Amino acid sequence: MAMTASSPRVLLRRLREVMAGSGSPQDRLNLVVSQIASNMVAEVCSVYLMREGRLLELFATEGLNPQAVHKTQLQVGEGLVGDIAAHARPLNLKDAQSHPLFAYRPETGEEIYHSLMGVPILRGGRVLGVVAVQNRTMRDYTEEEVEALQTVAMVLAEMVGSGQLVESSAFEESVAAALPQRLEARILAEGIAMGRAVLHEPRIEVARTIAEDVATEQRRLAGAVEGLRSSIDRLLASSELVAGGESRDVLEAYKMFAYDRGWLARLEAAVDSGLTAEAAIKRVHEETRARMHEITDPYLRDRLADLDDLANRLYLHLTGRQRGLPDQLPDDAIVVARHMGPAELLDYDRRRLRAVLLEEGSPASHVAIVARALDIPLLGRCAGITDLTDPGDPIIVDGDHGQVFIRPQEDVVQAFEQNLAARAQRQAKFAALRSEAATTRDAVAVSLHINAGLLVDLHHLDDTGADGIGLYRTELHFMVRASMPNVSEQTDYYRRVLDHAGPRAVVFRTLDIGGDKILPYQHDDTQEENPAMGWRAIRIALDRPALLKAQLRALLAAAAGRRLDVMFPMVAEVAEFKAARTILENEVARMARLGRDLPLSIRVGSMLEVPSLMWQLDSLLPEVDFISVGSNDLVQFLFAVDRGSPRVAGRYDPLSPVVLSFLRSVVSRCDEAGVPVSLCGEMAGSPLEAMALIGLGFRTVSMPPAAVGPVKEMVRSLDAGRLSTFMDSLYGSTEHSVREQLQRFAEDNQVVI
Ligand code: PEP
Ligand code: MG
C-alpha cells in the first residue's frame, strides 16, 4: 500500500481547530499528535519536550504505550530522538532499529515499529523538543513528508512556546534554560573573549505561523515582494550606492532573485499550505539554507547566500523593521554573522566589540586581517552559529583552540575566567619584553614592525615596542568612509599617523583596492570572475592615475620635513613599478616648483606578492629602495589557491619547501644587490613561521601587533646560525610541508614558539 500524507494545509487547518477548541493543554496536545499521525498515515506520532537538565520527556503520543507519557525520558544525544535534538536536524530512517543510536525503551512498546522520521521543534534557534512519526513497515518517507513535518514542528514550536499546548509550569523552566552548546571552529584571529551575542543579520522571528486567512497572507506577501523589488530598483538607479555598503554586484544579484519566478513560487506555495507570510519566508529561508549546506560549487553557494540575504530583506519589508547595526550594542558584544566583509566589521564600535563569529570565512581573507589588526578574536566556519544563538546569549570564544561555547555552564565560565587571568599574566610578560631588544642568542638583531591601517592601531606601536610600521594598509581608511577622502583630508590623516609614529618609520602602501576590498562609494560595472587577479591595486592606480596622484600628493605633504616610505602593491612587471614611481617623481617636481616643503628623504619600494617578479629581479632591484614580500598574495598565486576560500584554506602550507626555497632566493638576491628586504604577510605573525623566516635570512618582518610579544620571545630564545644550517637540509625536500621538522628543531633547541 502506498502511503502518502495529505497536504500540510489540511493538517494546519485541523491543528488550528484543535487550538480553538476547549480542553486542557494536555488534551490538546493529545489531539495534535493524533491529527499528525492520521494526516501523515503513520501509526505513531510522539512529541518529546525538553525538561530541565537536558532531558527529553515524552509529552504525548499516538500509538506508543500511553503509560509511558511523562515517564519516558531521554538525554539529549541519547537514542534517535536525542540525536535529533542534539544536532537540531531531522532524521529519516527506513530501518530505525538497526541504527547504532537506536535506544530501546521497553515501556513504550515501540519494538514493532521499523521506520522513523523525526524533526526538531525549534524556536529562535533553540531546540524545544522533537516530533517523530513511526511506521511498522520499512517506510521510505519522502522529502516532501520531511518538509511537511518540519512545517508542523514550526507550528508546534509556536504553540508550545506560547503555553497553549503544555501547562506553562511544566515547561517554563526548560524554555528559559536553552541548552549550552559547544562548536568547533576555525581560528582566523586568535584571542579569548566572553560576552553577549549580537546578531549581525536580523533573524526572522515568527510570532504567528498558521494563517487565519490565506488570502490575506497572500496579499501581505505580494505587498512585501513589491516593496522589496522597488527598493532594490531604487537603490540600483541611484548614483550613490552607499546604502549599507553594498556593491552593485550584490544588488544586481538581489534583483535577479527578487524577480525570479521559482523563488516567488516557493514562497507562494508555502503561504498556500496555510502558513502566514512570515512563516512562509522563514520556511523557504530554511530550505535555502539546508540546500546551501549540500552545495559544493562556490559560485552557486554564493548565489544561494544572496538568496538567503534576500529573505531577510523581504522579512524586513513585511514587518516594517529596519536593517542596520543593532543600535544598542552591549559593551561586551560578540557579533555573530554568516559572513562579513572588512568594511562591515569596521562599522562596529571597536570599544564594545569583544569577538566575531562567522559561519564562513578563511584566514587570509581581509576581514580576518582587519580583525587581527584590531586584535579582535575571530572564528570562522562556526557551523550553524546564526541559528543556535539568540541575541544576548552569553558566549565564550576560545580563539586559541578554535571553540565556541554558547550559553556556557558555570564550570566552563570559571575555567575561562582562570584562562583570562593567565593570559593577562602572559601579556604582562610580553609587556615586560617591550623595551628588550629582539636579538637572537647568537646576537643577530631582528627588526620587528607592525602592520596597521587605522588610527586605532597606532597605540600598538607604543604598547609593543615595535620598531615601526612595516605595512600601513591605506585602503582601510578609504573603506570605512561613506565618500572618497580628498587630498587635504588624506593629508591630515597621514600626518596624524606620522605624528604618532615620531621617529619610527611608517611604510605606507598605496591603495590596494579591488579583490575583496571594495569601496562603498565606488563601483564598476564590469563583473570579474577572479577579482583577486583582476583589476586591483597598482592596476587601478595606473589606469586611474588621478587617484594615485591625489594619494601621493597627500603623502608628500604629510611627510614634509621628515622621512617618507612608500610602496606599491601587486606589482607584476617592472614597468608598472617604474610608471608608478614616475608619477611620484612628477608629484615631487610639482611640489618643488610650487615651493612647498618636501620630505627629507623618500624611499620607494615594491611589494613582491606576484611570483612573476621573481624572474625580473635583475631589472627590478636596481630601481627600488626596498622590497616587501606580501606572503598572503604570494602563497595564493604560487599555489593558485584562493586566500579567501575556506574550502582550500588549509590545503597548502606556507612552510612548504616550495615557499621556503622561493623566499630564500628572494632574500639572497636582495642581499647581493644590497636592497633591504622584509616580509609583511600574516606568516610573519606566527612564531614558528617567523622563526623559519629568520632561518632563511629575513632580518626585518612586519606582523599584526598582537604577534610582536610572542615573536620577540621566540627571537630571544633562538640561535639563528644553527637554524640556518638546519634549514639548508629542508629546501630540497619533496614533502608537502616541513612544519614538523621545524617544530622539532624548536623543541630540541628550546626555542619558545
Ligand atoms: C599580502 O598579500 O601578504 C599583504 C601583506 O597584503 P594584503 O594582505 O593587504 O593583500
Ligand atoms: Mg597583498
Side-chain angles (χ1 to χ4, degrees):
M1 180 183 72
M3 291 178 286
T4 43
S6 58
S7 96
R9 186 165 173 177
V10 176
L11 178 56
L12 292 191
R13 201 170 57 228
R14 298 252 159 82
L15 293 185
R16 206 179 54 228
E17 282 159 14
V18 171
M19 298 320 296
S22 56
S24 71
Q26 183 70 48
D27 293 341
R28 291 182 188 176
L29 191 58
N30 294 345
L31 276 172
V32 164
V33 286
S34 80
Q35 288 290 355
I36 299 173
S38 79
N39 178 273
M40 305 209 82
V41 201
E43 281 118 18
V44 174
C45 172
S46 312
V47 168
Y48 296 80
L49 294 176
M50 198 75 80
R51 282 283 202 185
E52 214 185 348
R54 311 195 59 178
L55 282 177
L56 287 157
E57 180 175 308
L58 181 64
F59 261 67
T61 185
E62 165 77 26
L64 295 187
N65 183 356
Q67 305 298 326
V69 171
H70 294 304
K71 295 222 169 50
T72 294
Q73 290 190 327
L74 293 157
Q75 299 277 355
V76 169
E78 184 190 358
L80 298 171
V81 166
D83 188 67
I84 294 167
H87 297 104
R89 58 151 195 242
L91 275 184
N92 176 2
L93 302 168
K94 185 175 169 181
D95 183 9
Q97 293 188 10
S98 65
H99 193 282
L101 280 174
F102 182 76
Y104 173 54
R105 288 302 169 89
E107 74 273 12
T108 60
E110 66 181 326
E111 63 275 15
I112 50 173
Y113 302 107
H114 282 96
S115 51
L116 177 143
M117 160 173 74
V119 303
I121 303 175
L122 295 165
R123 189 171 153 103
R126 298 170 182 206
V127 178
L128 298 190
V130 170
V131 52
V133 295
Q134 289 172 274
N135 282 76
R136 268 174 213 269
T137 54
M138 292 211 190
R139 174 169 168 189
D140 266 323
Y141 301 99
T142 64
E143 267 315 297
E144 288 74 37
E145 285 166 336
V146 176
E147 278 176 19
L149 195 59
Q150 282 175 312
T151 302
V152 169
M154 198 166 149
V155 174
L156 279 176
E158 181 209 329
M159 293 172 172
V160 169
S162 63
Q164 294 166 281
L165 271 184
V166 182
E167 308 275 5
S168 42
S169 59
F171 199 67
E172 231 166 28
E173 287 171 294
S174 52
V175 172
L179 299 178
Q181 291 270 355
R182 178 183 164 279
L183 296 182
E184 301 267 338
R186 193 169 168 127
I187 305 163
L188 306 184
E190 288 181 2
I192 285 190
M194 289 169 78
R196 278 169 290 168
V198 170
L199 299 189
H200 180 61
E201 291 117 2
R203 159 149 328 133
I204 301 179
E205 307 279 2
V206 178
R208 205 167 45 85
T209 31
I210 305 185
E212 308 253 316
D213 172 29
V214 173
T216 309
E217 297 304 321
Q218 275 161 343
R219 269 197 305 279
R220 290 183 66 225
L221 177 69
V225 169
E226 202 37 57
L228 173 74
R229 285 176 177 174
S230 48
S231 80
I232 294 177
D233 290 345
R234 241 189 347 266
L235 268 177
L236 273 169
S238 72
S239 51
E240 279 184 277
L241 279 172
V242 193
E246 295 138 319
S247 74
R248 175 165 286 267
D249 303 359
V250 174
L251 284 171
E252 290 285 1
Y254 284 170
K255 178 170 176 167
M256 191 174 93
F257 285 120
Y259 285 88
D260 179 71
R261 281 300 316 157
W263 186 61
L264 203 61
R266 284 193 293 137
L267 285 167
E268 283 165 356
V271 169
D272 280 345
S273 78
L275 294 177
T276 58
E278 287 90 336
I281 296 175
K282 188 174 165 94
R283 190 78 197 83
V284 171
H285 178 80
E286 276 166 2
E287 270 170 37
T288 310
R289 288 184 149 210
R291 278 203 294 155
M292 223 152 81
H293 288 137
E294 284 158 22
I295 283 182
T296 50
D297 178 337
Y299 177 78
L300 283 181
R301 273 181 63 96
D302 275 358
R303 298 289 71 78
L304 281 172
D306 291 341
L307 202 50
D308 190 73
D309 269 1
L310 200 62
N312 277 322
R313 282 161 180 267
L314 183 58
Y315 166 74
L316 293 178
H317 274 281
L318 189 72
T319 56
R321 277 177 42 178
Q322 292 295 315
R323 190 189 180 94
L325 292 177
D327 27 344
Q328 289 188 325
L329 203 62
D331 54 13
D332 57 354
I334 306 232
V335 171
V336 172
R338 206 156 41 71
H339 58 76
M340 201 188 259
E344 288 169 293
L345 173 57
L346 290 166
D347 276 343
Y348 281 94
D349 179 351
R350 164 74 191 93
R351 288 160 303 179
R352 291 162 180 268
L353 191 58
R354 292 278 179 277
V356 177
L357 301 172
L358 302 180
E359 291 207 1
E360 301 185 358
S362 74
S365 61
H366 283 110
V367 67
I369 288 172
V370 171
R372 284 193 286 267
L374 296 175
D375 205 8
I376 295 170
L378 170 68
L379 295 188
R381 297 218 243 166
C382 310
I385 183 99
T386 53
D387 283 335
L388 291 169
T389 23
D390 272 345
D393 273 351
I395 296 192
I396 289 179
V397 178
D398 176 1
D400 286 350
H401 303 98
Q403 46 181 352
V404 179
F405 298 87
I406 308 167
R407 303 175 286 273
Q409 278 154 327
E410 195 42 41
D411 52 341
V412 180
V413 174
Q414 275 172 13
F416 270 82
E417 277 165 352
Q418 283 164 11
N419 193 316
L420 280 173
R423 279 178 88 80
Q425 268 177 8
R426 247 180 50 218
Q427 291 302 335
K429 190 176 77 181
F430 294 142
L433 279 183
R434 206 192 139 274
S435 35
E436 299 293 327
T439 308
T440 63
R441 278 172 26 208
D442 53 339
V444 173
V446 181
S447 191
L448 304 183
H449 296 248
I450 58 167
N451 296 345
L454 294 168
L455 295 176
V456 296
D457 293 337
L458 296 175
H459 71 93
H460 291 303
L461 266 178
D462 303 318
D463 300 349
T464 59
D467 296 322
I469 299 180
L471 166 63
Y472 199 94
R473 291 184 166 101
T474 57
E475 61 276 4
L476 295 188
H477 174 58
F478 284 66
M479 285 162 64
V480 293
R481 296 174 50 103
S483 62
M484 177 84 81
N486 62 27
V487 176
S488 85
E489 284 164 335
Q490 287 188 57
T491 308
D492 284 347
Y493 177 77
Y494 302 136
R495 193 174 284 136
R496 287 175 70 184
V497 177
L498 288 169
D499 287 348
H500 195 111
R504 292 162 294 199
V506 179
V507 180
F508 287 100
R509 178 176 73 183
T510 58
L511 284 182
D512 182 0
I513 43 178
D516 68 342
K517 292 189 252 193
I518 297 159
L519 303 186
Y521 38 85
Q522 238 208 348
H523 67 83
D524 181 77
D525 285 342
T526 18
Q527 305 254 346
E528 291 187 306
E529 271 193 36
N530 301 298
M533 297 194 286
W535 199 53
R536 157 176 183 198
I538 197 168
R539 302 171 185 179
I540 299 184
L542 295 178
D543 292 354
R544 299 269 188 281
L547 207 63
L548 180 62
K549 271 188 201 161
Q551 187 175 30
L552 293 172
R553 203 170 280 182
L555 283 167
L556 287 165
R562 39 192 173 185
R563 146 186 192 172
L564 177 64
D565 295 65
V566 197
M567 65 178 173
F568 302 114
M570 286 290 291
V571 176
E573 283 188 336
V574 181
E576 289 168 340
F577 175 81
K578 285 190 187 166
R581 201 191 50 197
T582 303
I583 296 177
L584 175 67
E585 284 162 358
N586 289 343
E587 283 307 312
V588 173
R590 174 180 170 277
M591 283 180 77
R593 243 188 357 261
L594 294 172
R596 304 255 167 84
D597 284 345
L598 283 167
L600 287 181
S601 67
I602 303 175
R603 292 168 74 240
V604 193
S606 170
M607 286 200 72
L608 194 159
E609 48 186 348
V610 182
S612 63
L613 269 195
M614 183 68 180
W615 289 271
Q616 300 168 69
L617 287 177
D618 280 344
S619 48
L620 179 72
L621 291 176
E623 303 288 335
V624 298
D625 295 316
F626 64 93
I627 291 281
S628 182
V629 179
S631 54
N632 305 335
D633 277 312
L634 183 66
V635 170
Q636 152 162 279
F637 297 128
L638 272 180
F639 286 117
V641 62
D642 183 347
R643 64 190 266 186
S645 158
R647 302 200 66 198
V648 290
R651 197 170 181 104
Y652 306 98
D653 192 346
L655 292 181
S656 73
V658 178
V659 176
L660 297 183
S661 316
F662 189 100
L663 293 176
R664 192 172 68 140
S665 306
V666 172
V667 174
S668 56
R669 297 287 298 279
C670 289
D671 286 351
E672 280 160 25
V675 172
V677 59
S678 64
L679 185 140
C680 63
E682 300 303 299
M683 241 183 124
S686 123
L688 185 70
E689 272 87 338
M691 181 188 89
L693 294 175
I694 294 170
L696 46 85
F698 281 97
R699 294 295 174 259
T700 303
V701 275
S702 192
M703 64 199 75
V708 174
V711 169
K712 194 186 272 187
E713 194 178 26
M714 178 278 293
V715 169
R716 291 170 61 83
S717 62
L718 175 71
D719 183 325
R722 181 180 287 207
L723 172 64
S724 145
T725 313
F726 170 77
M727 285 184 64
D728 281 339
S729 65
L730 303 181
Y731 303 116
S733 157
T734 50
E735 286 182 67
H736 164 73
S737 158
V738 291
R739 181 172 292 275
E740 271 179 28
Q741 290 90 315
L742 287 162
Q743 251 152 359
R744 224 170 307 125
F745 173 89
E747 272 162 37
D748 294 347
N749 293 278
Q750 285 88 46
V751 184
V752 186
I753 51 170

